[in-house]
Amino acid sequence: MTGVPASAAGGTGRPAPGGKLGAAAVNQASLWNIANILTMVRLLLVPGFVILLLQNGGYDPAWRAWAWAAFAVAMITDLFDGHLARTYNLVTDFGKIADPIADKAIMAAGLICLSALGDLPWWVTGVILFRELGITLMRFWVIRHGVIPASRGGKMKTLAQGTAVGMYVLALTGPLATLRWWVMAVAVVLTVVTGLDYIRQAVVLRRRGLAAERAAARVGDRKDTSETAR
């Protein structure tokens, strides 16, 4: 959920050796490939997850366990659709758009519901969602200059967020309830730190891109001048 969308990450264009899935996927990189189907499953899980989490006022341990299961499946499909897209080059325009939307939708749904239930402070939800939205918009801002790659810190942030939200979804008590607070604290710190790092990368990337454009423009002007002199 962090970095370049998993289904948009490209891939090498080389099918994995052997296997019927590899041949079929490479021959038909259409909308209905396995990576996109998993992304669509994740999108469909969002309303189901919200319904399960809010059943019986949102405090029924059994319903929250089912909600956790839906959330866990969504997180797992995020890993698999990205792996399949990169391995079998199953890149489509739908995947480029739907994959990051699905990632942020399930996380935002969990955070907002938990804050609405009073389990999680609203400022935590605000910080995480502001960061995710801001970084997404920033990527579009610099896209013509290049792509900001997903960092190791960004992947750790995603793992920490998913683990923390999953622990808050479960009706934990005692030491586990204390542990989830610390996991969420780590997630918030990683969210802020990696967000600042992405901003730094975006500024550097944009400066380099503008410098390259100016250099190319000067070369073009010199060519035009020399041709006119002839």
Side-chain angles (χ1 to χ4, degrees), residues 55-122:
Q55 281 293 314
N56 288 348
Y59 298 104
D60 188 314
W63 283 110
R64 291 187 73 143
W66 282 108
W68 177 87
F71 183 81
V73 170
M75 294 294 100
I76 292 171
T77 61
D78 181 34
L79 296 176
F80 277 100
D81 69 358
H83 173 73
L84 291 170
R86 289 188 295 270
T87 302
Y88 300 112
N89 198 25
L90 302 178
V91 180
T92 64
D93 289 338
F94 172 82
K96 294 177 183 179
I97 297 172
D99 185 73
I101 291 176
D103 296 344
K104 290 172 176 55
I106 190 70
M107 188 63 64
L111 290 166
I112 291 172
C113 287
L114 289 170
S115 291
L117 291 171
D119 292 341
L120 191 66
W122 276 106

Side-chain angles (χ1 to χ4, degrees), residues 99-177:
D99 185 73
I101 291 176
D103 296 344
K104 290 172 176 55
I106 190 70
M107 188 63 64
L111 290 166
I112 291 172
C113 287
L114 289 170
S115 291
L117 291 171
D119 292 341
L120 191 66
W122 276 106
W123 70 264
V124 172
T125 295
V127 167
I128 294 176
L129 295 186
F130 179 79
R131 185 269 193 198
E132 298 299 333
L133 178 59
I135 296 302
T136 299
L137 294 176
M138 187 186 65
R139 287 181 182 278
F140 284 110
W141 179 55
V142 300
I143 192 67
R144 71 188 183 95
H145 302 297
V147 175
I148 303 174
S151 67
R152 182 175 298 179
K155 294 175 182 178
M156 291 175 60
K157 178 270 304 179
T158 301
L159 176 61
Q161 284 183 359
T163 303
V165 171
M167 292 180 74
Y168 268 88
V169 168
L170 288 171
L172 301 178
T173 58
L176 288 177

